[in-house]
Amino acid sequence: MSIQLQATKKQDPPDEETPRIGVFICHCGANIAGFVNVEEAAKYASSLPDVAFVQKNLYTCSETGLREIKTAIKEHKLNRVLVASCTPRTHEPLFKSTCQEAGLNRYLFELVNIREQCSWVHMQDPVRATEKAKQLIRMGVARVALLEPRQEITVEVTRKALVIGGGVAGISAALSIAASNIPVILVEREKELGGLLRDVNKLYPTLGAASELVDEHVKKLQKAPLIKVMTRAKVLNVSGFIGNYKVQIDSAGEQIEDTVGVIVVATGARIMIPNGMYGYDGKNVVMQTELERRLKDGSFSARSVVMIQCVGARVPEREYCSRICCMTAIKNAILIRETYPETEIFVVYRDIQTFGTLYEEDYRRARELGVGFLRYGLAKLPAVDEGGVTVYDELLGKNVRIPYELLVLSAPLVAPEGVTELSKMLKVPLDANGFYLEAHAKLRPVEFATDGVYLCGCARWPCDIGDAVYQGRGSAARALIPLRKGKVYAEPLYAEVNPNVCRDCRRCVESCPYSAITTVEETVHGYQRTVSKVNPVLCKGCGACSVLCPTGAIGMKHYDNTLIMAMIGKAF
Amino acid sequence: MAACSDHPNIECLTYSAVREVSGNAGDFTVTVAKRPRYINESLCTGCGECTEKCPGKVPDEFNLGLAKRKSIFFHFAQAVPRIPVIDPTACLMLTKGKCGVCQKKCGAGAIDFKQTEQLVKARVGTIVVATGFDIYDASLATEYGFGRIKNVLSSLQYERLISASGPSGGHLNKPSDGKPAHKIAYVLCVGSRDITSNNYCSALCCMYAAKDAMLAREHDAGSESFVFYTDTRCSGKGFWQYFEKARSEYGVNFIRGRVSRITEDHSGNPVMWYEDTKQRRAKTLTADMVILANAIVPAFGTDKLAAMLGIELDKFGFIATNSFSPTDTNRDGIFVAGCVGGPRDIAEAVAHASAAAARAAETVTREAAVPAIGNRG
């Protein structure tokens, strides 16, 4: 298919009013004017079709410059504005607001960048820099002439939240949201709250009882009348979008339906059962949780304990560190040495993860208490026989056999059952390990790319209690933005499907990173058909769907083909 | 930064310091000293012409002394707000009463040599402390020769060197002779996990050392990278995979062992003396350049600020928080976010800051006498 550049002959502007474009060219001191001949560019701009007014400003963004724009809009009855200045990242919002203040729709504005794209990069060639500036202005004028006025989209937000998961992360999120006087539904799959903590004896680094921390959290929940706790509950169905999620929940056989504005995912993790590994039998070869249980109820009796770290973690099948196991082992080793000083303990590890200011001293303390640490590598895994573990210690460079009465395996946290189902229901992604994938690994760690859905705790990645608490509260803070505002505003720059051309291939649905596209039944020319539909609130206007659509059914509002072809037509 | 400065509910007071805090949760009065920039902020357009013509030339703090800046300068290219500052200790007009080139060049008439410090009082319901960290002064670890051996650099100096907008345009040139470094070593735990300096793990260094080593290999495929480590600390999301990538795809050499000292050979190359603990042998390695992974330490002035706020420090000098409520200080209504409470990476700092915001929102919602935002008393 060839692109016909001539096909972009001037069309009538949509509002049937002749465009009267005002062009404002910025000197930016000497930043632009030092290399681009602003005088010449201005003269050229006045020669372009539909341009009714041209002005040069020393700084268009200064108070004076902005005032000049507003005056010109009124005095010269301008209905379109083009500013030729710097990057849109800096001042585009300011210029748009200025247009609005002068009574012009803010979307009848266009900016071309003649600083970064002309004067700064072509300093050595002012003549051609000026030519390029003229070209950009010509293209900008062609585009702005065809722009249509648009209105921002506003959606009411139901002031209620759903938190899925009643562990420490979910409870923290629920408490924080309710503290802003917003009702919360807290859904827990088990019959009791507390999540993974219910299987823990003592907590590192304080060595306080885990049950006390759970009780403290549950008490706070009981004192929060706005939080409705549902145990033995399951989310059956979710539909809708930010501000208006319809949710269906089954709680111990009873089904309820409700509408919530946002959803927080705090579904946690489970500990991998090391079946078939190192002779795991639940009796003499146990998991750390079983050791915790024996320490708690006093049935612990071994005189020699060996702990193996990274059992099923940091291996090709599970390429990650589970974050909490080193400190769990060190905590339990310290507890044993303090309570049962005659018991010998060795920890067989690969790298000790005692990060930050809280844990390194515990590692040192364990060694002071006589806990032995042996370092192994992935190349030579420890070998377990009846009553002994043979370890190739990388630092000694030899095999060491340590006898044990109790062998404790530190297995990683893994994604719990049901995550795939829930992730599909909520239309949010999982990573390769089955943990939920956040919007941005660094900058948006506790929210999804889909607006209105947030995440925290072990659902995101293995984490300890402190992490779970701040992530729970952090996700609540993000969720509270739409909840407290009571409204969501979306820019009217979104994709739109032409149902006449859509053939229901659903590539757009799969491509959308924001889950903004669904399929609907629609009557097209008297026929009932399934076609794609874009939710303008969720759509960010990224254009991924438009590029993939094989029939060209999807156009981008404010960036549709007519506008782009008009610019290309003027480019050469 | 831009989002913060553009937000209608956020008033940014940059180049400022807290002088006094009184009151309690729900109603604090804070006195902030706005240091003089010698620029009228409402007139300045940020064009930067003043910085072009200034004759001053002093070491640039942002580039950690690897480049020079003018006496009137932007702290860095993306600084928010985009308003320059005049360095009163270097400016000829402010020190000797002559020059004034910037004033003549400024089309907006924004230069104001007579500006003085201004005290701003603000009534707020809650306070979040997010004053960050400093890096450990590696010259205190005298055995590593930082400050003495030219080609031994700090981790932040390396960040500037490898940055395309940095003083060397992104080229890893040796400070001693300006020639490219091909063999680069990264030494971890400098001032961390060490009872003679800081008995804690700085939490970030393993990951950035892996990143730094990979960047060097991307920059120059013929280069060699060596990372000296104790334990690879990789418990964050996707971190272990990242390490494995450095090892297997980028060919970064990881050596388990702590460097005992660094000397300089006759051609100015740093020589590391260390024990390779996996081979149980004392060895030396000569590199073109050595990068030290400085520990994360409490920011200068954290103690003074904490005293002003009436909040406690932990034994290392970071602001003390509850292990199970890691944004809370010992005072109601005062919270911390990020590394001021201990080392944290970016994702952790972002989530932690959101949590501090949640706690702050709880305080202002709870307290009846909430002053209007930005209401100055």
Side-chain angles (χ1 to χ4, degrees):
Chain A
M1 198 178 76
S2 66
I3 298 171
Q4 291 198 330
L5 298 179
Q6 280 75 25
T8 57
K9 67 174 198 277
K10 201 183 142 310
Q11 301 183 356
D12 287 330
D15 56 354
E16 292 172 25
E17 178 186 86
T18 317
R20 292 182 58 79
I21 304 169
V23 179
F24 299 83
I25 307 177
C26 184
H27 287 75
C28 196
N31 270 303
I32 293 171
F35 310 97
V36 167
N37 186 334
V38 173
E39 184 68 39
E40 194 185 320
K43 219 165 150 191
Y44 176 74
S46 355
S47 73
L48 294 169
D50 300 326
V51 172
F53 178 77
V54 178
Q55 187 163 38
K56 296 166 288 172
N57 314 103
L58 185 56
Y59 296 104
T60 313
C61 63
S62 67
E63 284 299 320
T64 319
L66 300 176
R67 203 168 43 240
E68 283 169 351
I69 296 179
K70 282 195 260 189
T71 313
I73 290 173
K74 282 175 193 149
E75 284 184 1
H76 298 274
K77 299 192 171 55
L78 303 178
N79 56 19
R80 303 281 190 285
V81 170
L82 177 85
V83 171
S85 62
C86 52
T87 165
R89 281 178 170 264
T90 322
H91 291 311
E92 191 181 40
L94 181 70
F95 293 138
K96 279 185 165 176
S97 301
T98 304
C99 291
Q100 199 167 357
E101 282 165 31
L104 193 66
N105 183 285
R106 61 191 284 125
Y107 293 94
L108 296 174
F109 169 84
E110 182 64 14
L111 191 144
V112 292
N113 182 357
I114 60 166
R115 191 177 73 180
E116 279 85 342
Q117 294 176 1
C118 297
S119 62
W120 279 3
V121 284
H122 304 299
M123 281 181 179
Q124 74 295 352
D125 194 348
V127 174
R128 289 171 74 197
T130 304
E131 273 317 300
K132 189 174 170 189
K134 281 154 72 177
Q135 278 177 11
L136 289 178
I137 292 169
R138 184 167 75 217
M139 290 163 72
V141 164
R143 172 174 159 79
V144 78
L146 297 174
L147 290 180
E148 291 174 40
R150 307 200 170 276
Q151 300 305 325
E152 266 193 352
I153 306 161
T154 309
V155 180
E156 297 285 322
V157 172
T158 307
R159 291 187 189 235
K160 192 183 247 189
L162 169 68
V163 178
I164 310 173
V168 173
I171 295 175
S172 299
L175 287 169
S176 273
I177 294 171
S180 281
N181 298 324
I182 287 163
V184 180
I185 305 171
L186 178 63
V187 170
E188 167 56 46
R189 177 155 64 181
E190 305 294 330
K191 63 176 190 295
E192 278 173 82
L193 296 165
L196 284 169
L197 265 190
R198 282 176 302 122
D199 297 330
V200 177
N201 170 31
K202 296 280 172 72
L203 303 173
Y204 68 77
T206 59
L207 299 185
S211 56
E212 279 173 24
L213 190 85
V214 175
D215 289 349
E216 193 189 306
H217 275 78
V218 172
K219 257 186 211 138
K220 280 189 199 157
L221 275 183
Q222 285 162 348
K223 279 193 210 148
L226 288 173
I227 304 177
K228 179 177 176 180
V229 179
M230 300 175 80
T231 48
R232 280 199 290 166
K234 199 182 169 195
V235 177
L236 297 177
N237 195 25
V238 176
S239 62
F241 55 95
I242 184 167
N244 304 278
Y245 283 107
K246 299 257 179 302
V247 295
Q248 220 185 336
I249 301 158
D250 178 285
S251 174
E254 184 201 341
Q255 291 200 3
I256 67 148
E257 271 178 38
D258 210 332
T259 306
V260 295
V262 301
I263 298 173
V264 178
V265 178
T267 46
R270 69 175 175 86
I271 301 170
M272 187 199 84
I273 313 277
N275 281 325
M277 303 174 85
Y278 300 114
Y280 172 72
D281 61 6
K283 291 176 199 126
N284 296 328
V285 183
V286 300
M287 292 163 66
Q288 287 283 358
T289 38
E290 173 61 17
L291 172 64
E292 301 244 351
R293 195 189 63 74
R294 291 184 194 179
L295 287 171
K296 195 175 178 181
D297 69 16
S299 64
F300 173 85
S301 67
R303 279 163 301 172
S304 55
V305 177
V306 176
M307 298 179 181
I308 302 179
Q309 301 301 107
C310 295
V311 173
R314 301 211 286 154
V315 291
E317 306 90 275
R318 230 165 274 98
E319 288 188 301
Y320 65 91
C321 163
S322 174
R323 191 171 174 91
I324 63 165
C325 334
C326 280
M327 268 312 292
T328 304
I330 288 171
K331 168 195 74 177
N332 286 334
I334 290 174
L335 281 173
I336 294 171
R337 289 293 293 170
E338 281 179 342
T339 324
Y340 308 92
E342 74 289 356
T343 300
E344 292 228 310
I345 306 178
F346 285 92
V347 178
V348 181
Y349 73 101
R350 283 168 60 195
D351 290 288
I352 290 287
Q353 308 290 332
T354 47
F355 49 86
T357 50
L358 295 174
Y359 307 145
E360 188 68 22
E361 286 187 326
D362 288 312
Y363 179 27
R364 195 174 290 279
R365 173 151 172 72
R367 282 177 289 168
E368 280 164 5
L369 284 168
V371 178
F373 286 84
L374 299 177
R375 188 186 173 97
Y376 78 97
L378 203 48
K380 282 187 190 170
L381 295 179
V384 175
D385 59 66
E386 285 279 310
V389 183
T390 306
V391 184
Y392 176 77
D393 186 312
E394 285 194 326
L395 307 182
L396 292 172
K398 16 175 120 132
N399 279 320
V400 182
R401 188 175 181 279
I402 336 161
Y404 69 85
E405 282 181 21
L406 185 68
L407 180 62
V408 185
L409 306 180
S410 292
L413 289 169
V414 294
E417 282 103 47
V419 281
T420 314
E421 202 186 334
L422 189 63
S423 78
K424 279 184 185 152
M425 214 184 282
L426 296 168
K427 302 196 195 87
V428 292
L430 298 171
D431 69 15
N433 298 306
F435 294 108
Y436 284 96
L437 189 64
E438 62 274 44
H440 188 286
K442 296 256 176 259
L443 301 175
R444 294 172 69 195
V446 288
E447 60 204 282
F448 288 104
T450 306
D451 286 345
V453 197
Y454 308 86
L455 81 163
C456 55
C458 290
R460 176 185 165 270
W461 191 251
C463 69
D464 61 25
I465 301 160
D467 294 336
V469 170
Y470 79 68
Q471 287 178 27
R473 288 173 178 166
S475 65
R478 304 302 296 164
L480 279 167
I481 295 171
L483 287 171
R484 282 179 83 124
K485 277 187 180 165
K487 281 191 174 76
V488 200
Y489 305 94
E491 279 231 75
L493 316 177
Y494 53 87
E496 201 170 54
V497 181
N498 177 354
N500 295 326
V501 191
C502 176
R503 63 173 198 204
D504 190 27
C505 72
R506 305 192 185 190
R507 282 190 208 174
C508 54
V509 178
E510 286 158 23
S511 72
C512 180
Y514 309 102
S515 306
I517 312 180
T518 47
T519 52
V520 292
E521 295 293 315
E522 220 166 81
T523 312
V524 183
H525 296 308
Y527 294 99
Q528 190 74 5
R529 287 191 46 209
T530 309
V531 291
S532 293
K533 199 176 173 78
V534 178
N535 182 327
V537 182
L538 293 182
C539 175
K540 306 274 183 216
C542 74
C545 54
S546 178
V547 175
L548 275 175
C549 180
T551 61
I554 308 184
M556 309 304 299
K557 287 274 174 198
H558 210 61
Y559 290 96
D560 62 28
N561 288 350
T562 325
L563 289 163
I564 291 168
M565 293 310 282
M567 290 176 79
I568 296 173
K570 295 290 179 190
F572 306 99
Chain B
M1 286 187 291
C4 191
S5 86
D6 289 345
H7 198 287
N9 288 348
I10 301 175
E11 187 180 340
C12 291
L13 297 175
T14 54
Y15 209 48
S16 302
V18 174
R19 282 286 162 78
E20 203 184 326
V21 179
S22 62
N24 287 304
D27 193 7
F28 289 105
T29 301
V30 184
T31 310
V32 179
K34 260 180 85 96
R35 293 160 67 191
R37 283 177 184 275
Y38 305 101
I39 311 284
N40 183 326
E41 294 184 13
S42 56
L43 293 179
C44 177
T45 62
C47 74
E49 208 168 331
C50 51
T51 64
E52 299 292 321
K53 304 291 182 236
C54 172
K57 235 179 174 189
V58 286
D60 180 2
E61 298 88 348
F62 181 68
N63 282 308
L64 298 117
L66 296 171
K68 294 270 201 285
R69 62 158 170 81
K70 301 295 180 74
S71 302
I72 180 165
F73 65 108
F74 293 103
H75 186 41
F76 56 101
Q78 298 84 9
V80 172
R82 195 179 152 75
I83 297 171
V85 176
I86 296 179
D87 175 352
T89 64
C91 170
L92 289 174
M93 195 67 183
L94 291 169
T95 54
K96 299 204 174 93
K98 39 188 143 172
C99 184
V101 166
C102 52
Q103 199 165 30
K104 285 177 209 126
K105 284 286 157 192
C106 179
I111 310 284
D112 176 7
F113 291 113
K114 296 206 173 66
Q115 209 172 53
T116 52
E117 180 179 280
Q118 277 183 304
L119 290 182
V120 178
K121 273 197 176 183
R123 283 180 71 206
V124 295
T126 177
I127 296 170
V128 176
V129 186
T131 45
F133 64 93
D134 280 342
I135 61 166
Y136 177 71
D137 177 2
S139 64
L140 295 175
T142 49
E143 66 274 24
Y144 290 157
F146 179 76
R148 185 159 42 79
I149 305 172
K150 277 188 175 161
N151 294 338
V152 175
L153 299 176
S154 74
S155 51
L156 280 182
Q157 286 180 320
Y158 180 84
E159 290 285 341
R160 294 314 303 145
L161 275 191
I162 196 94
S163 166
S165 62
S168 59
H171 297 294
L172 292 169
N173 297 336
K174 290 187 281 182
S176 64
D177 57 9
K179 288 183 185 150
H182 296 296
K183 196 170 175 185
I184 305 172
Y186 306 84
V187 177
L188 284 164
C189 298
V190 176
S192 301
R193 302 187 69 191
D194 180 350
I195 46 170
T196 64
S197 51
N198 301 299
N199 189 17
Y200 57 81
C201 162
S202 291
L204 323 174
C205 328
C206 283
M207 291 310 296
Y208 75 62
K211 176 200 76 174
D212 288 348
M214 285 197 271
L215 286 177
R217 299 272 293 155
E218 272 176 11
H219 185 75
D220 171 9
S223 68
E224 287 180 277
S225 297
F226 299 86
V227 178
F228 291 89
Y229 74 101
T230 312
D231 289 286
T232 48
R233 300 236 154 132
C234 52
S235 66
K237 191 166 189 172
F239 288 5
W240 188 65
Q241 252 178 321
Y242 194 79
F243 257 108
E244 286 307 296
K245 194 164 107 183
R247 203 188 304 264
S248 57
E249 287 178 33
Y250 284 77
V252 175
N253 301 294
F254 287 88
I255 300 171
R256 191 185 181 280
R258 289 180 91 141
V259 174
S260 64
R261 73 193 159 108
I262 301 174
T263 55
E264 196 175 17
D265 73 7
H266 59 277
S267 43
N269 294 324
V271 181
M272 275 151 295
W273 301 71
Y274 67 99
E275 183 198 356
D276 183 324
T277 58
K278 287 193 182 177
Q279 294 183 359
R280 295 160 298 285
R281 217 176 289 157
K283 291 181 166 183
T284 60
L285 178 83
T286 306
D288 294 338
M289 193 149 83
V290 175
I291 313 304
L292 305 177
N294 313 58
I296 303 293
V297 296
F300 178 77
T302 303
D303 49 352
K304 230 171 107 185
L305 181 65
M308 221 184 291
L309 291 162
I311 54 178
E312 285 167 13
L313 298 175
D314 68 16
K315 61 184 141 190
F316 306 118
F318 295 104
I319 291 174
T321 54
N322 180 323
S323 319
F324 306 131
S325 190
T327 47
D328 298 6
T329 66
N330 59 306
R331 270 196 81 184
D332 187 20
I334 303 184
F335 307 99
V336 296
C339 289
V340 70
R344 279 187 179 87
D345 68 18
I346 297 171
E348 289 176 318
V350 170
H352 194 245
S354 290
R359 298 293 281 163
E362 284 171 32
T363 308
V364 289
T365 311
R366 186 191 70 208
E367 297 294 329
V370 184
I373 293 158
N375 175 11
R376 291 182 185 171

